[in-house]
């Protein structure tokens, strides 16, 4: 087919579609100038793109003289994509148009997985139910959904889409949440990716790391992990294991995830409380109370509770140990903290920035996620969008 008139026409259509996606509405003359295609070629290609519902005529250009030119724009509502973040405690779903604009966003509790396969099957049933509800309420149907990007807190093997390991609360669901299983459960194309990689992509495309040449997204929550992007591309490494910082060993050969996860933080808080409790009738004095959750601990620190501040200062030293290892190997320009714990930048960043300034040989900028809990679904939308545009272009070439 290469070199045939149809093949060349379709290449031209893809060139025009790329220009409209990147630039926005343009007149036929503007498209001709930007792409280098002749005006008759542009007009013919646009007519075919209109037939495919991929571009629309919209309004008139604001040219100063002569007849006002008709503007052409990419039809961002020709199809839709979704991003789904299957977290340890929450499921997040986003619906997006082809411009990557999130039109609807919802969160749900993740089902308990204590019942093994039955609970896993229930998760798939609930996901389908949530998606059906989302489509109905947005007056859409499955034929309009081109792709769903899924993010999971586990290692996704690049070649097979199998899950090699997963965060503890979801253990036992590796097979049910594999690419093969999800593809069978949903009537559209499915992409499966590690959640922290997607969060990094989301921050790069729509958040705090926009256009950063080399940055690390460091997620701290129920689990820990990093997404590393170089010149807009995710580093994956052998078996997709790049960024699996959970296995990094800190002092006393303790795994980083055991130290920095939510559970590790609360163990630290309990140890500090027991070590500093005074004996006798005053053992319950203010500043020496037990915090039940990381959220309570951070709130106590914000209110100035001395014990909470000291715990989080020590915890920041542990985070800094991990960051130092990353920095001396990668020398990133930027580190973005995210996740349920890492997102508490108002408390953690002052401690961490001081440590970086005083002790690090490489001193990257250190900021918090701009997208917050939406980072993973935003990245999931981006991979689904990228695949959809690629499919539409390949469709034209067939």
């Amino acid at each position: 087919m290469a070199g045939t008139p149809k093949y060349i026409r379709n290449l031209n259509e893809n060139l025009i579609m790329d220009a409209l996606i990147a630039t926005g509405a343009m007149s036929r003359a503007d498209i001709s100038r930007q792409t280098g295609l002749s005006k008759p070629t542009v007009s013919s290609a646009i007519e075919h793109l209109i037939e495919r519902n991929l571009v629309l005529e919209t309004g008139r250009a604001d040219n100063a003289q002569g007849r006002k030119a008709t503007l052409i724009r990419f039809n961002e509502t020709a199809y839709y994509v979704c991003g789904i973040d299957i977290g340890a405690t929450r499921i997040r779903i986003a619906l997006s148009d082809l411009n990557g604009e999130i039109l609807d966003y919802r969160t749900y509790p993740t089902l308990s997985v204590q019942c093994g396969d039955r609970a896993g099957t229930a998760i798939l049933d609930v996901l389908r139910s949530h998606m059906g509800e989302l489509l109905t309420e947005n007056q859409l149907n499955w034929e309009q959904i081109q792709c769903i990007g899924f993010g999971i807190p586990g290692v996704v093997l690049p070649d097979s889409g199998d899950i090699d390991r997963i965060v503890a609360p979801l253990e036992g669901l590796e097979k049910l949440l594999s690419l093969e299983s999800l593809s069978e459960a949903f009537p559209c194309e499915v992409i499966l990716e590690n959640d922290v990689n997607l969060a990094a992509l989301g921050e790069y495309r729509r958040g705090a790391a926009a256009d950063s040449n080399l940055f690390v997204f460091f997620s701290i929550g129920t689990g820990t992990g990093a997404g590393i992007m170089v010149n807009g591309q995710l580093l994956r490494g052998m078996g997709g294991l790049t960024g699996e910082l959970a296995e990094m060993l800190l002092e006393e050969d303790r795994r980083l995830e055991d130290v920095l996860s939510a559970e590790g933080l609360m163990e630290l808080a309990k140890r500090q409380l027991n070590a500093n409790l005074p004996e006798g009738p005053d053992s319950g004095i203010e500043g020496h109370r037990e915090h039940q959750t990381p959220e309570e601990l951070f709130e106590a620190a914000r209110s100035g509770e001395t014990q909470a501040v000291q715990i989080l200062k020590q915890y920041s030293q542990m985070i800094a140990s991990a960051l130092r290892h990353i920095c001396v190997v990668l020398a990133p320009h930027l580190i973005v903290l995210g996740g349920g714990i890492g997102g508490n930048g108002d408390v953690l960043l002052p401690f961490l920035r001081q440590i970086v300034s005083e002790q690090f040989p490489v001193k990257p900028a250190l900021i918090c996620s701009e997208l917050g809990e939406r980072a993973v679904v935003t990245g999931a939308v981006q991979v689904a969008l990228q695949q959809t545009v690629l499919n539409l272009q390949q469709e034209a070439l067939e």
Side-chain angles (χ1 to χ4, degrees):
M1 179 174 294
T4 66
K6 180 182 178 182
Y7 185 81
I8 293 171
R9 184 196 70 186
N10 291 335
L11 286 176
N12 293 337
E13 290 177 9
N14 289 342
L15 186 62
I16 291 169
M17 197 160 64
D18 286 341
L20 291 171
I21 291 172
T23 306
M26 291 188 288
S27 68
R28 286 170 171 81
D30 289 335
I31 294 171
S32 176
R33 282 190 290 270
Q34 181 158 326
T35 61
L37 300 173
S38 70
K39 291 181 179 179
T41 296
V42 167
S43 292
S44 174
I46 285 174
E47 290 307 310
H48 191 241
L49 286 170
I50 289 174
E51 289 176 12
R52 295 177 63 199
N53 197 34
L54 294 178
V55 304
L56 300 172
E57 291 183 330
T58 173
R60 298 285 183 174
D62 191 22
N63 43 308
Q65 297 179 345
R67 183 179 176 184
K68 303 296 183 185
T70 300
L71 293 176
I72 307 299
R73 69 171 176 84
F74 176 62
N75 182 11
E76 72 278 3
T77 60
Y79 299 101
Y80 299 85
V81 299
C82 287
I84 299 181
D85 171 16
I86 303 175
T89 60
R90 303 290 294 174
I91 293 170
R92 301 173 177 90
I93 302 178
L95 171 71
S96 167
D97 64 20
L98 294 185
N99 276 337
E101 294 299 327
I102 292 179
L103 308 175
D104 200 345
Y105 172 78
R106 303 176 181 205
T107 66
Y108 308 91
T110 302
L111 291 176
S112 168
V113 297
Q114 295 177 351
C115 297
D117 287 348
R118 184 181 301 175
T121 304
I123 284 180
L124 294 180
D125 291 340
V126 167
L127 284 173
R128 285 191 293 261
S129 175
H130 290 331
M131 278 297 302
E133 177 183 294
L134 181 74
L135 297 183
T136 298
E137 293 187 11
N138 284 278
Q139 300 181 328
L140 299 175
N141 57 59
W142 275 109
E143 292 182 356
Q144 294 168 279
I145 304 298
Q146 286 286 298
C147 186
I148 301 176
F150 283 88
I152 61 151
V155 176
V156 179
L157 300 179
D159 295 332
S160 65
D162 291 337
I163 299 169
D164 182 47
R165 63 188 75 173
I166 200 166
V167 72
L170 298 180
E171 283 180 352
L173 299 183
E174 290 87 345
K175 185 175 181 180
L176 283 157
L177 295 179
S178 68
L179 178 61
E180 181 180 3
S181 175
L182 292 172
S183 297
E184 290 174 355
F186 293 91
C188 63
E189 185 167 5
V190 165
I191 297 174
L192 181 63
E193 177 63 272
N194 170 264
D195 59 349
V196 184
N197 280 346
L198 291 179
L201 180 61
E203 293 291 344
Y204 178 76
R205 294 279 178 83
R206 297 271 175 167
D211 302 323
S212 177
N213 291 332
L214 173 56
F215 85 96
V216 176
F217 182 93
F218 187 23
S219 177
I220 312 173
T222 304
T224 58
I228 301 166
M229 294 199 71
V230 181
N231 295 327
Q233 299 296 317
L234 282 164
L235 287 186
R236 300 185 182 279
M238 184 172 60
L241 287 169
T242 295
E244 283 300 302
L245 301 185
E247 301 304 325
M248 183 185 291
L249 296 181
L250 300 181
E251 293 181 5
E252 301 176 356
D253 288 339
R254 298 180 67 198
R255 291 175 67 249
L256 180 141
E257 183 159 290
D258 295 336
V259 172
L260 295 186
S261 66
E263 185 176 339
L265 172 58
M266 298 319 293
E267 286 180 3
L268 171 65
K270 185 174 291 187
R271 288 197 306 271
Q272 289 299 311
L273 176 67
N274 292 335
N276 291 288
L277 271 178
E279 297 180 0
D282 294 330
S283 61
I285 63 173
E286 174 64 24
H288 293 81
R289 65 184 179 85
E290 184 173 353
H291 305 95
Q292 301 301 317
T293 64
E295 292 78 12
E296 285 186 13
L297 183 62
F298 278 103
E299 284 306 314
R302 291 184 180 100
S303 66
E305 187 179 308
T306 303
Q307 181 77 9
V309 171
Q310 290 304 313
I311 291 168
L312 290 172
K313 187 173 183 180
Q314 183 176 345
Y315 181 70
S316 296
Q317 289 281 357
M318 297 175 179
I319 296 175
S321 294
L323 295 183
R324 183 185 176 99
H325 290 305
I326 294 170
C327 288
V328 295
V329 173
L330 292 176
H333 303 294
L334 174 68
I335 294 177
V336 180
L337 289 184
I341 291 175
N344 291 280
D346 58 322
V347 177
L348 296 175
L349 286 180
F351 296 136
L352 291 170
R353 284 171 176 161
Q354 182 176 357
I355 297 169
V356 168
S357 174
E358 295 175 353
Q359 302 177 20
F360 279 34
V362 176
K363 306 180 191 299
L366 194 60
I367 60 177
C368 251
S369 166
E370 186 176 305
L371 299 174
E373 69 168 23
R374 296 192 181 201
V376 176
V377 289
T378 300
V381 161
Q382 291 298 314
V383 295
L385 179 63
Q386 182 177 339
Q387 186 62 43
T388 294
V389 172
L390 180 63
N391 289 346
L392 292 173
Q393 291 176 334
Q394 290 178 338
E395 231 174 66
L397 297 174
E398 292 175 356

